[in-house]
Amino acid sequence: MSENNKADVLLGLQWGDEGKGKIVDVLTPHYKMVARFQGGPNAGHTLVFEGKKYILHTIPSGIFHKGCVNLVGNGVVLDPFIINKELDQLNIPLDVLQESLFVCGKAHLILPSHRLLDAAFEKKKGNFKIGSTLKGIGPAYTDKVARTGLRLTDTASESFEDKYNALKQEHLRLAEGLDFDIDELRLDGLTFHDYEKAWFFGLERLKALPRVQSEIFVNEALDKGARVLAEGAQGTLLDIDFGSYPYVTSSNTITAGACVGLGLAPGRIGEVFGVFKAYCTRVGSGPFMTEIRGEGADVLRDLGQEYGSTTGRPRRCGWLDLPALKYAVMINGVTRLIMTKADVLCSMKTLKVCVAYEINGEEKNISPLTTDSDSLNPVYKEIAGWNCTLDNVETFEQLPQPLLDYISMIEDFVNVPVDIISTGADRKQILIRKGAGILKRLSLS
Ligand code: GDP
Ligand code: IMO
Ligand code: MG
């Protein structure tokens, strides 16, 4: 028994798309279990290896490693239609899946009518729309909290179809009240009716996956000494409580979310790996203080291929926001930082970094997430770029000096070490610092 064995958490520190999927894939060989704890198909986690690219929405990013147990926890919301599509993409034989992918029966289902409501609410909001991925996330979590939702475990009940139809009718009534015309709706290119048919087909496949109670499954694995990595979706600044509300997602994307989304006691959390981009992006509406307007953003978007993995929408681009990063480190109790996409800034001669905020003419060292002030202006420091390719850099220590200085500046600001740098989308493009704490944690030093 290893009662002191703890689960590590990996999550995003900005507005999502920090490269979490890639980093989980890189770390998976050192873990027995990878577990998703919140969010649903609004997530798009990209993995690139052997010249192929895969985008995962619900299935944990450990799925491509033989012997890794992947768990979809109770805190995740499941759309059987999308899971079915993901399983098709993976093309893993059922007998292998039976040993590598487990789903918690307590996880809530996203009904087609949740997606209908997502579209109806967004349309009604007009200019104030959230910019949702329209995957039904908000409405599904709303039903969960209202205690009217359907869980995967409910599908075993004889009355499931009655319950499904009753909830659907409720949703249809709501959509009608919002003047939303169901005939104008297309869900992944399908009419509501066709989507619903495919949804029920997917449900049979989802029901065939091994079902567990995530809290028992994870805690027993830890007791037996297994290494567990909890994989976050979205990012800290999209957290329902601590993000830029109401322009957020509908779950807790932070470390505490791993506790409730898997059934882990706070004392069972070990290291917290915070992933961030060397700059910032955001997809959807809402405040973005360090956003670059105009052509500058187009340059960064093209260099970084900043288009949504789930919706294909262009991502808004901007400079690194250190006060916001420090806030995310605090909320999550981050112990190790992982920086991605430094390669994207390679061709820039100078960079800007936000180091403080000016409020009513006064410079303050606070996060933009902690003030209601309207007159909030980022204070930038301009620094030299590295202005060279990272393609041939083989070790962390060989990184160009301006990039090492950039890393030191971040570490000094947030007081947490940067242990890993990702220099490209491929699994192999990764540099771990010599002597980094993460190496010890993974028993690599
Ligand atoms: P996630 O949602 O946090 O998993 O991130 P996404 O997959 O949505 O977006 C990250 C994008 O950047 C994907 O296209 C990745 O393949 C890519 N990516 C990840 N790390 C790096 C990196 O270090 N450099 C570059 N150029 N691309 C990266
Ligand atoms: P990954 O896991 C980036 C954003 C949406 C929108 C807001 C609410 O790939 O990092 P929702 O569909 O949840 O109601 O949308 O949150 N959003 C994401 N942005 N990456 C994601 O996930 C996101 N998931 C949701 O664009 O602004
Ligand atoms: Mg993504």
Side-chain angles (χ1 to χ4, degrees):
M1 293 284 273
S2 309
E3 268 146 26
N4 289 328
N5 189 25
K6 296 179 182 191
D8 295 335
V9 180
L10 182 146
L11 39 70
L13 300 181
Q14 295 159 326
W15 277 288
D17 303 330
E18 298 89 348
K20 300 173 291 293
K22 174 204 161 149
I23 304 297
V24 170
D25 175 55
V26 166
L27 298 182
T28 297
H30 309 289
Y31 287 88
K32 177 69 198 163
M33 186 186 293
V34 174
R36 273 280 302 271
F37 56 87
Q38 45 69 233
N42 47 350
H45 295 182
T46 314
L47 279 61
V48 179
F49 55 90
E50 291 160 15
K52 288 204 190 102
K53 174 169 153 178
Y54 301 88
I55 300 178
L56 297 167
H57 300 290
T58 324
I59 294 174
S61 301
I63 196 70
F64 292 103
H65 292 270
K66 212 168 158 218
C68 175
V69 168
N70 292 272
L71 170 67
V72 179
N74 57 281
V76 175
V77 281
L78 310 166
D79 183 328
F81 173 89
I82 292 175
I83 290 176
N84 186 41
K85 276 205 337 200
E86 283 187 75
L87 290 173
D88 280 347
Q89 177 197 214
L90 296 181
N91 202 14
I92 296 175
L94 191 62
D95 57 326
V96 178
L97 266 187
Q98 294 281 349
E99 292 183 352
S100 55
L101 183 58
F102 297 78
V103 187
C104 181
K106 290 188 177 74
H108 277 246
L109 293 170
I110 302 174
L111 272 52
S113 48
H114 282 132
R115 289 194 65 175
L116 164 74
L117 280 183
D118 217 353
F121 285 133
E122 281 286 78
K123 191 165 178 212
K124 194 78 184 169
K125 286 195 175 99
N127 287 339
F128 298 99
K129 72 174 183 193
I130 307 292
S132 159
T133 58
L134 300 176
K135 302 293 176 192
I137 305 294
Y141 277 119
T142 301
D143 271 331
K144 173 177 177 173
V145 176
R147 296 160 295 179
T148 45
L150 289 172
R151 307 194 293 177
L152 180 58
T153 187
D154 295 322
T155 58
S157 150
E158 273 181 19
S159 58
F160 176 71
E161 264 196 56
D162 291 343
K163 285 182 184 160
Y164 170 93
N165 283 321
L167 188 54
K168 174 179 143 185
Q169 288 313 319
E170 202 57 48
H171 293 158
L172 292 180
R173 260 195 300 279
L174 248 172
E176 211 178 295
L178 292 164
D179 294 327
F180 191 81
D181 180 4
I182 191 168
D183 292 331
E184 74 179 62
L185 183 70
R186 289 294 173 274
L187 298 173
D188 291 23
L190 301 177
T191 62
F192 184 84
H193 178 73
D194 288 346
Y195 192 86
E196 196 178 32
K197 252 173 62 187
W199 188 92
F200 273 101
F201 177 81
L203 186 62
E204 289 311 307
R205 209 154 166 210
L206 176 58
K207 280 160 68 180
L209 293 175
R211 192 92 51 86
V212 294
Q213 305 278 2
S214 49
E215 70 280 28
I216 306 295
F217 197 64
V218 173
N219 282 288
E220 280 187 358
L222 286 171
D223 288 346
K224 286 183 193 146
R227 288 179 194 272
V228 174
L229 181 64
E231 174 181 5
Q234 290 80 56
T236 302
L237 308 184
L238 288 170
D239 181 86
I240 181 79
D241 282 281
F242 300 105
S244 47
Y245 193 88
Y247 299 101
V248 292
T249 191
S250 300
S251 65
N252 282 115
T253 58
I254 58 173
T255 304
C259 295
V260 284
L262 290 172
L264 279 170
R268 275 222 124 155
I269 301 294
E271 298 268 359
V272 179
F273 306 134
V275 186
F276 70 102
K277 276 181 198 174
Y279 49 97
C280 273
T281 62
R282 173 166 203 168
V283 59
S285 330
F288 181 0
M289 304 312 296
T290 61
E291 182 168 12
I292 303 169
R293 313 269 173 186
E295 278 174 22
D298 298 340
V299 172
L300 201 47
R301 186 176 306 111
D302 283 349
L303 288 169
Q305 280 304 295
E306 296 295 356
Y307 297 90
S309 308
T310 296
T311 57
R313 289 178 292 176
R315 293 176 183 146
R316 298 157 67 193
C317 297
W319 301 113
L320 185 61
D321 183 338
L322 285 178
L325 188 69
K326 191 170 182 173
Y327 179 75
V329 164
M330 173 190 78
I331 287 287
N332 291 299
V334 171
T335 57
R336 318 250 154 234
L337 287 166
I338 298 170
M339 184 165 90
T340 59
K341 305 195 95 162
D343 54 299
V344 171
L345 301 179
C346 271
S347 55
M348 300 209 171
K349 290 206 172 65
T350 55
L351 307 174
K352 287 210 262 180
V353 185
C354 171
V355 292
Y357 277 92
E358 188 199 274
I359 300 171
N360 299 325
E362 235 186 286
E363 200 172 301
K364 291 196 173 167
N365 183 11
I366 62 161
S367 157
L369 278 305
T370 57
T371 173
D372 294 329
S373 175
D374 286 336
S375 64
L376 193 63
N377 292 308
V379 177
Y380 288 110
K381 186 175 169 186
E382 199 158 290
I383 54 164
W386 27 107
N387 200 18
C388 63
T389 173
L390 303 180
D391 284 351
N392 304 317
V393 179
E394 284 172 7
T395 65
F396 194 109
E397 292 64 34
Q398 280 171 5
L399 286 169
Q401 193 56 44
L403 177 50
L404 289 172
D405 292 344
Y406 193 69
I407 294 166
S408 296
M409 178 189 62
I410 295 165
E411 292 177 326
D412 288 347
F413 201 97
V414 305
N415 261 322
V416 177
V418 175
D419 277 11
I420 299 183
I421 295 283
S422 167
T423 57
D426 192 273
R427 190 188 260 179
K428 291 194 176 135
Q429 291 171 297
I430 201 91
L431 302 172
I432 307 187
R433 192 179 224 159
K434 208 167 150 194
I438 198 167
L439 290 169
K440 202 164 164 210
R441 177 71 180 166
L442 303 177
S443 308
L444 293 174
S445 75

